[in-house]
Amino acid sequence: MAWIYLALASVVEIIMAISLKYALGWTRLVPSMVGVAAAAGSVLFLTLAMRSLPAGTAYAIWTGTGSVGVAVLGIWLFNDALSPLRILCIGLIVAGTIGLRMLDA
C-alpha cells in the first residue's frame, strides 16, 4: 500500500506544480487554490507512504517522479525547451528512481 500512496503523492505533486504554473504568480484564484490543495494532498500521501518506506527512498522517488512529470508536461503544455541533454537528464532521474525502487522491493 505504501507504494500506492507514494505514486498518488507523486501524481498530486505534479498537479500542484502545473496548477501553480497556471496560477501566474498567484494572480488566478482557481489554479492557486488547486495548487495549495494539491501541495497538502501530496505531502499527506507522502507521509502515509513513509510509514513503511525508508524516508530517503520515499522522498527521492517522490521528488524524482514529480520532477520528471513536470518536465515532460512542461515540454508538452508550455513548449519548454527540449534538447538531447535535457532528455538525458530526465533519463538519469528515471534510472535513479527505478534503481531506488528495485533496492527497496
Side-chain angles (χ1 to χ4, degrees):
M1 191 68 182
W3 290 105
I4 294 170
Y5 285 140
L6 189 55
L8 289 170
S10 297
V11 169
V12 178
E13 180 76 3
I14 294 165
I15 292 168
M16 182 269 307
I18 297 301
S19 296
L20 293 180
K21 174 71 173 175
Y22 281 115
L24 301 175
W26 304 102
T27 61
R28 297 175 68 203
L29 181 62
V30 172
S32 297
M33 291 172 52
V34 170
V36 170
S42 181
V43 171
L44 171 68
F45 284 124
L46 176 62
T47 302
L48 294 173
M50 285 183 168
R51 286 181 176 171
S52 57
L53 294 176
T57 299
Y59 186 76
I61 290 175
W62 177 63
T63 59
T65 54
S67 297
V68 169
V70 172
V72 169
L73 285 174
I75 292 165
W76 182 50
L77 296 172
F78 308 118
N79 296 317
D80 289 353
L82 179 61
S83 67
L85 188 56
R86 188 177 181 121
I87 292 170
L88 173 65
C89 291
I90 291 170
L92 290 171
I93 295 170
V94 170
T97 301
I98 290 169
L100 286 170
R101 170 62 177 104
M102 291 172 60
L103 290 172
D104 283 325

